[in-house]
C-alpha cells in the first residue's frame, strides 16, 4: 500500500477502476437442524452446556501420604495410624489391696493424733485377714506402731495398743518362728505392761503373774536385739507394777515379782540392774516398816492387857 500510495503520486493508477470491497461470507449455523435444548422445549431458557466437575479424590491422611511418598503402597502394606485405646484398669487381687492398705497405715500409725483410729482399722484387718500366708505383710505396720517402744505406755494411746496387740497375740502362731520373740516383745509392752495400770485387782494380779512368769524364764544374758528388747519390756513392767505397791491389794503380787527379778539381776544390764535393786530395797524397807508398825501395835495392845491384869 505504501508503494501504491507513492506510485499514485505520479498518476500511475488514475485510469484504473476502484477496487471492489470483499463480500462477507454468511455465518453457517452449526446447530441448525438440531432439536432445541430441553429447557427450551419446556418453555424455559436454554441451558448452557457445562463441563462436569471432576470428582474430588478423598483426602489421604498425612501419615499415609508420608509413608507412601515413594509409591510403595502397591509393594508393602501402608501402616495406618493406631487408634487410641481406652485404658483398662486391672482388677486388683485381695492380696494386692491388703498390701496397699497396710502400706498406707504404716505411715499413719506414726502420727499420735491419728493412731487410735488407724489402730482400730488395723485391728479389723488383723481379725479378718491375718493368717499364715499374710502375717508378714503386717510386720511393717506393727513395727511402725511400735517404732518407739515406750510409746505404748502413753495414757492417751494405751487402750488402742491393748486392743490391737491382743488381736496379734491371739494369732501369734501365724507368724514364722523367727518372728516369735518380736511378737512376744510387742505383746509384753502393749498388753501386759499396760494392763498393770489399773485399779482392777483381778486384772492387776493377772498381769503381774504373767510378768513374773516371764522374769522367771530368764536364763541367760540376751545377746540379740530381740532378746535385749524383751528384757527392756520386763523392766518397764517392773516399774509399772512397783508404782502400785502402796496399795494393799497390790502388795503381795508386787513383792513376788520383785523377788523374782532381783534373783535374776545378772541377766539385766548395769542400768537395769541398779533400777531393780533400788525397787527391791524399797519393797523390803516398806515390809520391815509395816512389820515394825504391826509389832509395835501388838506390843502396845499386850502391854495394856498386862497392865489391866495387874
Amino acid at each position: 500500500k505504501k508503494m501504491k500510495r507513492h506510485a499514485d503520486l505520479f498518476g500511475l493508477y488514475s485510469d484504473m477502476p476502484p477496487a471492489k470491497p470483499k463480500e462477507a461470507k454468511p455465518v453457517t449455523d452449526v446447530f441448525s437442524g438440531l432439536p432445541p435444548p430441553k429447557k427450551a422445549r419446556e418453555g424455559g431458557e436454554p441451558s448452557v452446556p457445562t463441563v462436569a466437575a471432576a470428582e474430588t479424590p478423598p483426602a489421604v491422611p498425612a501419615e499415609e501420604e508420608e509413608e507412601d511418598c515413594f509409591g510403595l503402597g502397591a509393594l508393602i502394606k501402608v501402616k495406618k495410624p493406631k487408634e487410641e485405646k481406652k485404658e483398662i484398669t486391672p482388677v486388683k487381687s485381695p492380696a494386692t489391696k491388703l498390701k496397699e492398705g497396710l502400706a498406707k497405715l504404716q505411715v499413719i500409725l506414726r502420727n499420735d493424733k491419728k493412731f487410735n483410729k488407724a489402730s482400730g482399722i488395723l485391728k479389723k484387718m488383723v481379725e479378718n485377714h491375718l493368717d499364715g500366708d499374710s502375717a508378714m505383710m503386717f510386720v511393717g505396720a506393727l513395727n511402725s506402731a511400735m517404732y518407739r517402744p515406750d510409746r505404748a505406755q502413753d495414757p492417751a494411746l494405751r487402750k488402742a495398743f491393748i486392743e490391737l496387740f491382743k488381736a496379734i497375740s491371739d494369732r501369734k502362731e501365724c507368724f514364722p518362728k523367727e518372728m516369735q520373740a518380736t511378737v512376744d516383745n510387742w505383746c509384753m509392752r502393749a498388753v501386759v505392761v499396760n494392763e498393770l495400770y489399773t485399779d482392777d485387782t483381778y486384772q492387776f494380779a493377772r498381769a503381774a503373774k504373767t510378768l513374773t512368769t516371764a522374769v522367771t524364764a530368764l536364763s541367760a544374758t540376751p545377746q540379740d536385739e530381740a532378746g535385749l528388747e524383751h528384757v527392756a519390756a520386763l523392766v518397764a513392767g517392773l516399774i509399772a507394777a512397783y508404782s502400785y505397791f502402796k496399795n494393799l491389794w497390790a502388795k503381795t503380787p508386787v513383792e513376788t515379782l520383785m523377788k523374782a527379778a532381783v534373783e535374776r539381776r545378772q541377766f539385766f544390764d548395769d542400768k537395769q540392774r541398779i533400777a531393780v535393786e533400788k525397787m527391791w530395797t524399797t519393797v523390803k524397807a516398806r515390809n520391815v516398816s509395816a512389820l515394825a508398825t504391826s509389832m509395835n501395835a501388838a506390843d502396845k495392845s499386850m502391854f495394856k492387857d498386862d497392865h489391866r491384869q495387874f
Side-chain angles (χ1 to χ4, degrees):
K1 289 181 181 180
K2 187 175 181 181
M3 290 178 64
K4 184 177 180 182
R5 188 169 56 252
H6 287 290
D8 197 53
L9 293 175
F10 301 98
L12 296 178
Y13 300 99
S14 59
D15 56 346
M16 296 181 66
K20 294 181 179 181
K22 293 182 179 181
E23 296 180 359
K25 294 182 180 181
V27 179
T28 306
D29 186 4
V30 296
F31 298 103
S32 62
L34 297 176
K38 184 177 180 181
K39 286 189 177 180
R41 291 196 304 267
E42 295 174 356
E45 295 181 357
S47 61
V48 180
T50 57
V51 180
E55 295 184 359
T56 305
V60 181
E63 292 186 17
E64 291 189 17
E65 288 181 354
E66 292 177 1
E67 292 183 4
D68 198 27
C69 59
F70 297 107
L72 302 177
L75 300 177
I76 60 174
K77 186 177 181 180
V78 179
K79 199 172 185 180
K80 295 183 179 179
K82 294 182 179 179
E83 297 181 359
E84 293 184 3
K85 295 182 179 179
K86 294 182 179 179
E87 186 177 352
I88 301 175
T89 304
V91 179
K92 296 180 181 179
S93 66
T96 300
K97 291 181 181 179
L98 178 62
K99 188 176 181 180
E100 291 179 353
L102 290 171
K104 292 178 182 178
L105 282 176
Q106 188 171 341
V107 178
I108 300 172
L109 285 166
R110 287 178 172 266
N111 188 329
D112 287 352
K113 293 181 180 180
K114 298 180 179 180
F115 180 83
N116 289 337
K117 186 174 182 180
S119 67
I121 295 172
L122 182 56
K123 175 178 174 285
K124 290 181 180 178
M125 294 172 73
V126 168
E127 293 171 341
N128 296 328
H129 302 290
L130 195 152
D131 53 26
D133 296 327
S134 65
M136 292 304 293
M137 292 185 187
F138 287 81
V139 172
L142 295 171
N143 269 327
S144 185
M146 298 292 290
Y147 80 96
R148 195 181 72 246
D150 60 338
R151 182 191 188 206
Q153 275 67 65
D154 185 334
L157 310 179
R158 191 175 291 157
K159 183 179 179 181
F161 268 104
I162 291 175
E163 292 179 352
L164 172 59
F165 283 92
K166 271 188 175 181
I168 294 295
S169 180
D170 293 340
R171 293 159 181 80
K172 176 184 172 182
E173 69 281 356
C174 295
F175 291 89
K177 185 177 180 180
E178 59 271 17
M179 282 294 301
Q180 293 297 312
T182 300
V183 175
D184 285 340
N185 292 340
W186 290 337
C187 295
M188 180 62 67
R189 283 272 192 184
V191 181
V192 178
V193 176
N194 276 335
E195 286 189 338
L196 289 167
Y197 291 98
T198 181
D199 290 331
D200 185 329
T201 57
Y202 174 76
Q203 178 179 309
F204 183 90
R206 182 184 61 194
K209 184 177 180 180
T210 301
L211 187 60
T212 301
T213 301
V215 171
T216 305
L218 289 175
S219 58
T221 303
Q223 301 297 328
D224 60 344
E225 184 177 353
L228 291 171
E229 174 55 32
H230 185 57
V231 173
L234 296 180
V235 174
L238 292 171
I239 294 171
Y242 173 76
S243 65
Y244 284 83
F245 182 68
K246 60 186 177 181
N247 298 307
L248 185 61
W249 51 265
K251 182 177 178 296
T252 299
V254 171
E255 184 177 352
T256 302
L257 174 60
M258 293 299 168
K259 185 173 183 296
V262 79
E263 288 175 351
R264 291 159 182 80
R265 70 188 80 180
Q266 69 272 23
F267 302 131
F268 299 94
D269 63 26
D270 293 341
K271 186 177 179 180
Q272 293 168 343
R273 189 180 305 114
I274 291 172
V276 169
E277 289 175 346
K278 281 185 176 180
M279 288 187 287
W280 174 240
T281 300
T282 303
V283 168
K284 287 196 302 181
R286 287 184 180 179
N287 282 341
V288 171
S289 177
L291 180 61
T293 301
S294 178
M295 290 179 65
N296 188 27
D299 289 343
K300 288 181 179 180
S301 178
M302 290 175 63
F303 176 77
K304 288 181 180 180
D305 291 340
D306 291 341
H307 180 71
R308 289 171 184 171
Q309 288 180 6
F310 291 99

